[in-house]
Amino acid sequence: MTGAGISVAAGIPDFRTKGTGLYDNLEKYNLPYAEAIFDISYFKTNPKPFCVLAKEMWPSNFDPTPCHYFVKLLDQKGLLLRNYTQNIDTLERMAEIDNEKVVESHGCFANGHCISCHKEFSKEFIRDIIFEDKIPKCDICEDGLVKPDITFFGEGLPEKFHNLLPKDVKEVDLLIVIGTSLVVHPFASIATRIPFDCPRILINMEEAGPFDQNDKTRDVCLFGDCQVKVIELMKELDWFDDFKKIIPEDSKSLKEALEKLEKLKTENETIEEKNIEKVENESK
Ligand code: CNA
């Protein structure tokens, strides 16, 4: 299960991180409440805020991050049952993770439809209009609004989610959750629908959903930057050489994560040296 946190290193803000998350930066849209920007009832009355935001977030200049390539590596190793992502940025497609293995649970920008007559519109059609700061409208029912196929609050999840989930929750033997606050349902409930004896790993900046860091029988919580944590994990597993073969050499987010890792190592070594010094001084 992945969420907006794995794409932050690509330059796309998440929703709920204090200060940098989208919800803390919506003043300019004059919304009645933050979630309104992705609410289908609100969109029907005022589509402008979403269209302005969609222009800013439009997936074009963003590259997949180490977390995306970690998922791809899991697949290459024959270990990936499914990647349920909440992200709408299509970075899984850009990382070329097998499409069969990915469930874009909240849809994505790849296509769009008229919300009245459901006529399909291409991504390019919608993009061109949004980039001209206009609102995409249907050419058949004239007033029908056209929006990318991302799931708004008040809309159902894609069929693929409902078709695959019942089988997947029975088959899964390890759940890895990365970069999500696990507050949006029904997506978040996957973590509790899996069998009780299925171990779960949370890799996130903060606590999320049902994870219990004190439950050593089931949950493992790795708190911190998810890019750094997946690199540490792959190094522990001796997978890092395989990983380097699939991630582009010039990946900016990989370079940044490796720099952070190096810095953390130096800080930990300094703390350790100071602790040893302290113990030595105390025993004198
Ligand atoms: P969220 O509620 O904003 O939560 C993000 C979580 O990721 C938080 O718990 C953060 O602490 C954590 N996080 C942020 N950065 C990092 C990091 N570097 N390392 C580790 N953890 C980090 O977002 P969710 O995905 O949980 O919420 C679901 C919404 C967000 C979905 O409907 C998405 O469509 C929507 N969204 C998607 C994108 C995208 O596609 N990139 C961007 C923004 C929002």
Side-chain angles (χ1 to χ4, degrees), residues 2-5 7-8 12-17 22 57 86-89 106 179-184 203-208 224-227:
T2 47
S7 294
V8 170
I12 308 171
D14 65 5
F15 274 174
R16 292 178 184 82
T17 292
L22 267 179
M57 273 186 80
Q86 290 166 103
N87 294 347
I88 51 179
D89 54 29
H106 293 165
T180 168
S181 57
L182 283 183
V183 295
V184 180
I203 305 178
N204 208 38
M205 282 291 193
E206 54 179 8
E207 287 183 10
D225 184 328
C226 55
Q227 311 300 342

